[in-house]
Each structure stands twice: as C-alpha cells, then as structure tokens.
C-alpha cells in the first residue's frame, strides 16, 4: 500500500467518523418532564375547609372551589369502584362520591 493510498484511506475513515458523530449530535433533546405538583414542597391540604361540600353534587366548579379553600395543590374526585393510587399525597384533596355523584368524604391524601 502506498503512502498516498494509506493517507486517503485514513482521511476517508476520519471524514466518515466525523459525519456520523455530527449526525448523532443533531438529535433533538427530549423535553424535560413536567414537574409533579404533588412532589413540590408546600401546599398542604386542610380537609376541614372542604367539609362544606359533603352531600353536594360534585362538578368542576365545586371541586376547584373545595381545592382552593382546602389549600390543596390538586383535587381528585373518586367515584364508587374507581381505581386510584394509594400513595399519600399531603397536597391533594380527595373527594369521594356516591353513585349519584354526591360527595360523601372530603379528605387529604
């Protein structure tokens, strides 16, 4: 192999490697995950301030007002038989309802 052909092979291999490396760096960076409102500090829930909802039929406006009054970061409405996560989240207000949609329990967690 002549020195010129060796040089051409080396340059070709280097160019190919540079192109491949350049293509890899052009991949878009995946977006950062949205922050979990339950994992953020503060915003503890006070269920006593949501007891006024008991017996009322739940709707979005009532749930949001209960959340605001309780000082909770999030609110969830659980209907009979609905699956739910079991982790305790002190910043979450949970409104349990009966089959007719009336609130039976207002609790934090």
């Amino acid at each position: 192999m002549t020195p010129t052909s060796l040089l051409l092979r080396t340059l070709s291999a280097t160019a190919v490697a540079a192109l491949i490396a350049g293509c890899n760096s052009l991949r878009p960076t995946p977006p950062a995950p949205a922050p979990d409102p339950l994992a953020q500090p503060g915003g503890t829930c006070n269920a006593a301030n949501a007891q006024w909802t008991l017996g009322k039929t739940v709707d979005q406006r009532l749930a949001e007002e209960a959340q605001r009054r309780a000082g909770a970061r999030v609110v969830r409405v659980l209907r009979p038989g609905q699956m739910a996560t079991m982790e305790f989240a002190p910043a979450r207000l949970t409104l349990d309802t009966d089959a007719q949609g009336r609130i039976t329990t207002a609790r934090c967690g």
Side-chain angles (χ1 to χ4, degrees), residues 16-41:
V16 169
L19 286 173
I20 291 172
C23 291
N24 283 337
S25 67
L26 296 178
R27 289 186 184 153
T29 304
D36 180 359
L38 298 178
Q40 297 175 6

Side-chain angles (χ1 to χ4, degrees), residues 36-46 67 70-76 88-94 107-109:
D36 180 359
L38 298 178
Q40 297 175 6
T44 56
C45 172
N46 181 353
Q67 175 187 354
R73 286 197 184 273
V74 294
V75 62
R76 71 174 172 179
F88 181 76
R92 177 178 56 211
L93 175 66
T94 299
R107 60 190 167 86
C108 296

Side-chain angles (χ1 to χ4, degrees), residues 53 55-59 77-81 96-104:
T53 63
K56 297 186 183 210
T57 302
V58 70
D59 61 20
V77 176
L78 295 179
R79 303 191 187 321
D96 297 304
T97 66
D98 62 14
Q100 288 75 40
R102 287 187 302 265
I103 298 172
T104 57

